[in-house]
Amino acid sequence: MQLSSIPINEPERLQAVKSYKLQKNQNDVNFNNITDLACSITQIPNALISIVEKDEVWFKSAKGMEICSSDRNLSFCSYAVASDKDVYIVENAKKDLKFINHPFVKDAEKPIVFYAGVCLKDKNDHKLGTLCVIDHKENTLNDEQIESLQLLSKQVVKLIELNKSNTKLKQTKRKLIKKNKMLKSFASQVAHDMKMPLANMILTTDILKSKYQKNIDDKGLSYLINIKDSSLSLSNYINNLLNYYENSSVDKKNVTSFSFNQLLEEVIDILNIKVNCTINIPEKDFDIVTNRAALELILLNLITNSLKYNDKPEIIIDIDLKTENENFNYVTVTDNGIGIPKEKQKKIFKLFSTVEETDRFGQKGHGIGLSTVKKLVTKLGGNISVKSAVGKGSCFSFSLKK
């Protein structure tokens, strides 16, 4: 049995069907909801969402019928797609000369007697398939029911187009993840390769100063000092980059219970503070459960910034922990430093963004620390924010998911 005709734009129509890359399954609740509604609105027991391909018609959703696909030459939906009309109705196939000898009408245990298909037309007027209702007896639809089916068919097309967009987004995401991994690997490799030459430069300048100091004038010594300072600055920059790429990936399963105050004391010891500074830790200690290494790196960066970007004779840093919330721990790090201008507060968590040209020690910041902090806090299921006033200080607040 052959179709009486095929659409005039069949090559373009088939290309359009192929471009949507729909999966051949019937487990999408969004499509199934539409066939449920179609049956409910028309009071007809069977509804299908069909996709008409070159040789096959397959069904994205099937309500009331256990069917996955059909030969295109036998499918009523093929007639609907080939028709000049957008709504194709056969009220009684047993009396229709086109279908009277059709195997689905003549020989089937449950014959198709009534068929109403609304074409699924995309934005380019390509008929992708149909939303159809099927009965095993003669039936009719009123104008309101037909209009409702047309509205539902538009929703089907929107779902198909949304599926295409989501597929593209997933593909783009996979490509970005792959490129990101390549960039991380490249940055890490370059950083590692640069560390040894820099170490040699620093060591060489120290040897030159020690061994040939009597033969070098003050200007020459200043050059050596500049070389060493620049090398140390670049080495610090590289270490921060490695820190950003290697340590900002947090294993959420690698969590332990530990004393918050003890961690703070260890961080303060690591910093080996040489300036006049008072750090106030919480009066009451709490055990918290999170990734200890990640929290240590967060606190190291925040306290270091409070030390570096401070112009007061005595640096004061207050650290507080709130554990009352059922889902989150909240940590604040407050200082009396130089503060952050309001227009820069939104940018400070971006990679390579800096507030000042140099810190209190004359060193130029690289804008990596706070971006690492934000990345780590996000990985730990929390958020970070800052409140600051120029000349008065800053308060960084972040949450950690329990």
Side-chain angles (χ1 to χ4, degrees):
M1 181 174 180
Q2 297 295 321
L3 294 178
S4 57
S5 64
I6 60 173
I8 297 174
N9 65 341
E10 180 68 356
E12 294 82 5
R13 190 196 70 80
L14 288 173
Q15 187 61 37
V17 170
K18 186 178 180 180
S19 72
Y20 287 102
K21 297 180 181 179
L22 279 170
Q23 293 185 345
K24 293 185 178 182
N25 59 52
Q26 297 178 0
N27 56 10
D28 193 314
V29 66
N30 296 305
F31 288 97
N32 293 336
N33 285 341
I34 289 179
T35 49
D36 285 344
L37 279 170
C39 289
S40 178
I41 290 167
T42 60
Q43 295 298 299
I44 291 175
N46 310 293
L48 302 170
I49 293 174
S50 70
I51 304 297
V52 180
E53 295 190 345
K54 184 178 179 181
D55 300 311
E56 177 191 41
V57 176
W58 61 273
F59 304 103
K60 185 62 181 172
S61 179
K63 169 71 173 178
M65 300 176 72
E66 292 186 6
I67 184 171
C68 294
S69 65
S70 170
D71 188 299
R72 181 172 176 181
N73 285 329
L74 298 177
S75 174
F76 276 61
C77 297
S78 296
Y79 287 86
V81 169
S83 170
D84 293 334
K85 299 178 181 179
D86 293 337
V87 180
Y88 189 81
I89 298 177
V90 180
E91 292 185 350
N92 190 338
K94 291 183 176 181
K95 295 180 180 180
D96 191 312
L97 293 177
K98 190 181 291 185
F99 297 101
I100 195 168
N101 291 317
H102 194 291
F104 292 170
V105 177
K106 184 179 178 182
D107 304 325
E109 184 179 342
K110 287 187 175 182
I112 296 176
V113 179
F114 174 82
Y115 174 90
V118 179
C119 290
L120 305 175
K121 295 178 67 175
D122 69 7
K123 60 185 177 182
N124 295 315
D125 284 338
H126 295 129
K127 294 181 178 179
L128 309 176
T130 69
L131 167 64
C132 64
V133 289
I134 293 171
D135 206 344
H136 305 301
K137 59 183 178 63
E138 184 176 355
N139 213 326
T140 59
L141 295 178
N142 59 41
D143 291 342
E144 187 177 344
Q145 289 171 320
I146 292 172
E147 186 177 346
S148 296
L149 286 179
Q150 288 175 311
L151 290 173
L152 286 177
S153 72
K154 291 178 181 179
Q155 294 304 310
V156 174
V157 174
K158 285 183 179 179
L159 284 175
I160 291 172
E161 290 175 342
L162 181 62
N163 177 81
K164 183 178 182 178
S165 297
N166 287 339
T167 301
K168 284 185 177 180
L169 284 173
K170 288 177 182 177
Q171 290 173 343
T172 302
K173 184 179 178 182
R174 284 195 292 268
K175 288 179 182 178
L176 286 174
I177 290 172
K178 186 177 180 180
K179 286 185 178 180
N180 195 35
K181 285 182 178 178
M182 290 173 64
L183 284 171
K184 283 184 178 181
S185 177
F186 174 75
S188 180
Q189 185 62 50
V190 169
H192 278 295
D193 289 347
M194 290 176 68
K195 287 182 76 175
M196 185 56 69
L198 279 170
N200 289 335
M201 287 174 65
I202 294 166
L203 181 61
T204 301
T205 54
D206 284 339
I207 292 172
L208 286 171
K209 282 172 60 180
S210 174
K211 193 171 182 179
Y212 301 101
Q213 188 169 9
K214 293 179 180 179
N215 301 320
I216 302 174
D217 60 18
D218 291 342
K219 194 171 184 179
L221 285 173
S222 69
Y223 288 150
L224 288 176
I225 291 169
N226 285 337
I227 291 171
K228 182 176 180 180
D229 288 345
S230 297
S231 299
L232 286 170
S233 178
L234 185 54
S235 179
N236 184 47
Y237 177 71
I238 290 170
N239 286 331
N240 283 333
L241 268 181
L242 287 172
N243 208 21
Y244 180 81
Y245 285 121
E246 294 176 359
N247 296 329
S248 59
S249 179
V250 175
D251 183 358
K252 294 180 181 179
K253 295 180 181 178
N254 186 20
V255 298
T256 55
S257 175
F258 56 90
S259 160
F260 182 73
N261 281 9
Q262 183 180 339
L263 175 64
L264 278 175
E265 289 168 0
E266 291 177 13
V267 168
I268 294 167
D269 287 341
I270 291 170
L271 290 169
N272 191 23
I273 300 169
K274 303 290 186 182
V275 295
N276 184 20
C277 177
T278 299
I279 299 181
N280 300 309
I281 66 176
E283 291 183 5
K284 186 177 180 180
D285 190 17
F286 291 95
D287 282 349
I288 62 173
V289 179
T290 189
N291 186 302
R292 195 180 194 279
L295 180 56
E296 179 179 334
L297 190 54
I298 291 168
L299 292 169
L300 270 170
N301 274 288
L302 292 178
I303 297 172
T304 297
N305 279 353
S306 292
L307 293 168
K308 288 164 60 178
Y309 298 101
N310 199 304
D311 55 358
K312 308 299 188 298
E314 180 187 10
I315 298 171
I316 299 174
I317 303 172
D318 297 316
I319 302 170
D320 193 24
L321 170 67
K322 303 288 186 187
T323 63
E324 295 85 359
N325 188 279
E326 184 179 347
N327 300 312
F328 292 91
N329 291 313
Y330 291 93
V331 181
T332 57
V333 178
T334 308
D335 63 53
N336 64 337
I338 61 175
I340 304 166
K342 192 171 183 180
E343 66 273 13
K344 292 187 177 182
Q345 289 177 20
K346 291 183 179 179
K347 301 177 182 178
I348 59 172
F349 295 111
K350 293 182 179 179
L351 190 60
F352 306 127
S353 176
T354 57
V355 176
E356 293 291 325
E357 286 296 318
T358 57
D359 58 28
R360 70 181 286 143
F361 307 108
Q363 299 295 319
K364 186 176 180 179
H366 300 119
I368 300 175
L370 286 179
S371 60
T372 302
V373 166
K374 181 174 175 59
K375 201 170 188 181
L376 286 167
V377 169
T378 302
K379 291 282 187 180
L380 294 176
N383 292 296
I384 186 167
S385 61
V386 63
K387 291 182 180 179
S388 185
V390 174
K392 294 183 179 180
S394 304
C395 177
F396 286 87
S397 304
F398 63 93
S399 56
L400 302 169
K401 192 171 183 180
K402 288 188 177 179

